[in-house]
């Protein structure tokens, strides 16, 4: 069985961004590139740009990207809706300290709040399971001091909501990974053309303009992309 191997040492989604930056540099220096070889012209740049756009759509299809954004927004809303109820339960634990005798930290509320702040949806789900088990265990003591069923229902329903959205995210990302693996030849071909441009750029300026020559190194372009993110 043939194993597809990435020829590029960056994240898949970083490759088209690096290519666009290299293309921008080449267009600014097109006169020097064209003087070096007639294959470097506006048609060459246009075709390269089209390849980049094609790979971009392959990696991040707009429909899937929009769906991921909706799922993420819904996840954040579900998590944020827990903030006020956490505060309420803290208060009820304080009122029921003699009968329940459990701290907010032991109850899981402190860790749950931290996971919400860090936007760790799986961490929120895991901590919700802990909190819900304690809500069930100390339900009598907490309802006696005022905890309502609506708060308990919210904690319980949030588990199902977050679990479902995490699974939807996983399914979309897994599908993307499979698509990339199936189309690695396309990405490797784009990388090969990128390296052609970078190698020519370095050779053009390595003697006359060291600073410009560095603009045509893969690692510098990669650092620029990651710094921008």
């Amino acid at each position: 069985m043939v194993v597809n191997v990435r020829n590029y040492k960056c994240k898949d989604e970083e490759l088209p961004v690096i290519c666009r930056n290299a293309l921008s540099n080449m267009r600014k220096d097109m006169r020097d590139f064209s003087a070096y070889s007639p294959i470097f012209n506006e048609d060459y740049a246009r075709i390269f740009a089209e390849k980049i756009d094609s790979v971009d759509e392959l990696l991040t299809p707009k429909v899937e990207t929009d769906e991921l954004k909706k799922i993420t927004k819904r996840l954040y809303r579900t998590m944020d809706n827990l903030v006020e109820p956490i505060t309420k339960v803290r208060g009820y634990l304080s009122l029921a300290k003699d009968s329940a005798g459990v701290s907010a930290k032991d109850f899981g509320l402190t860790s749950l709040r931290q996971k919400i702040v860090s936007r760790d949806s799986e961490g929120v789900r895991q901590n919700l399971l802990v909190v819900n088990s304690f809500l069930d265990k100390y339900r009598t003591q907490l309802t006696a001091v005022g905890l309502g069923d609506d708060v308990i229902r919210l904690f319980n329903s949030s588990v199902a909501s977050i679990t479902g959205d995490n699974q939807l995210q996983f399914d979309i990302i897994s599908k993307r990974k499979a698509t990339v693996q199936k189309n690695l030849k396309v990405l490797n071909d784009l990388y090969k053309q990128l390296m052609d441009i970078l190698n020519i750029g370095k050779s053009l300026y390595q003697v006359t303009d060291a600073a410009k020559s560095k603009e045509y190194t893969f690692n510098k372009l990669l650092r620029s992309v990651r710094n921008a993110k």
Side-chain angles (χ1 to χ4, degrees):
M1 184 177 73
V2 178
V3 178
N4 293 324
V5 178
R6 285 169 173 76
N7 294 335
Y8 48 94
K9 294 182 179 179
C10 65
K11 295 177 181 178
D12 297 320
E13 64 271 18
E14 291 172 334
L15 180 60
V17 185
I18 293 170
C19 288
R20 281 202 180 89
N21 291 344
L23 174 60
S24 176
N25 289 341
M26 185 185 73
R27 278 183 159 145
K28 286 186 292 187
D29 300 325
M30 185 61 80
R31 181 177 296 178
D32 293 336
F33 272 81
S34 297
Y36 182 85
S37 171
I39 72 168
F40 295 107
N41 52 40
E42 280 306 317
D43 281 342
Y44 180 93
R46 176 182 54 79
I47 292 169
F48 187 47
E50 289 172 354
K51 286 183 180 178
I52 297 169
D53 289 342
S54 178
V55 167
D56 225 355
E57 178 60 23
L58 177 71
L59 294 174
T60 54
K62 188 176 186 310
V63 173
E64 289 184 0
T65 301
D66 290 345
E67 184 62 22
L68 274 175
K69 287 178 180 177
K70 284 196 294 185
I71 294 168
T72 301
K73 185 176 180 180
R74 189 166 61 233
L75 270 170
Y76 289 172
R77 185 169 61 247
T78 301
M79 291 190 284
D80 288 340
N81 285 343
L82 291 167
V83 173
E84 186 180 354
I86 287 172
T87 303
K88 285 184 176 180
V89 175
R90 279 179 180 275
Y92 290 127
L93 282 174
S94 179
L95 291 173
K97 61 177 180 283
D98 292 334
S99 57
V102 58
S103 68
K105 182 178 180 180
D106 292 338
F107 209 85
L109 295 173
T110 301
S111 181
L112 176 59
R113 184 72 175 86
Q114 290 170 347
K115 295 300 181 182
I116 292 171
V117 171
S118 64
R119 295 309 199 198
D120 179 359
S121 60
E122 182 55 32
V124 170
R125 192 185 77 86
Q126 292 294 335
N127 279 275
L128 269 174
L129 293 173
V130 174
V131 170
N132 285 342
S133 69
F134 277 106
L135 282 172
D136 185 58
K137 182 177 181 179
Y138 295 103
R139 184 166 188 155
T140 300
Q141 294 93 323
L142 293 172
T143 54
V145 294
L147 178 65
D149 288 342
D150 57 329
V151 174
I152 296 172
R153 281 196 299 269
L154 178 64
F155 277 101
N156 281 310
S157 64
S158 295
V159 173
S161 178
I162 291 172
T163 300
D165 282 336
N166 279 347
Q167 185 62 48
L168 288 172
Q169 283 184 327
F170 176 80
D171 291 343
I172 291 173
I173 292 169
S174 296
K175 181 182 175 184
R176 282 188 177 180
K177 287 180 179 178
T179 300
V180 169
Q181 189 64 26
K182 194 187 304 181
N183 292 276
L184 263 182
K185 184 181 183 305
V186 176
L187 276 75
N188 284 337
D189 287 347
L190 182 69
Y191 174 71
K192 180 181 180 301
Q193 187 169 357
L194 166 68
M195 294 310 297
D196 288 342
I197 293 170
L198 297 185
N199 288 334
I200 297 302
K202 279 187 290 186
S203 67
L204 280 172
Y205 303 112
Q206 63 184 356
V207 175
T208 59
D209 193 335
K212 186 180 281 289
S213 178
K214 288 180 180 179
E215 294 178 2
Y216 290 94
T217 59
F218 182 85
N219 287 339
K220 186 176 189 305
L221 289 168
L222 176 58
R223 282 197 301 271
S224 296
V225 169
R226 290 180 176 174
N227 288 340
K229 286 198 295 187

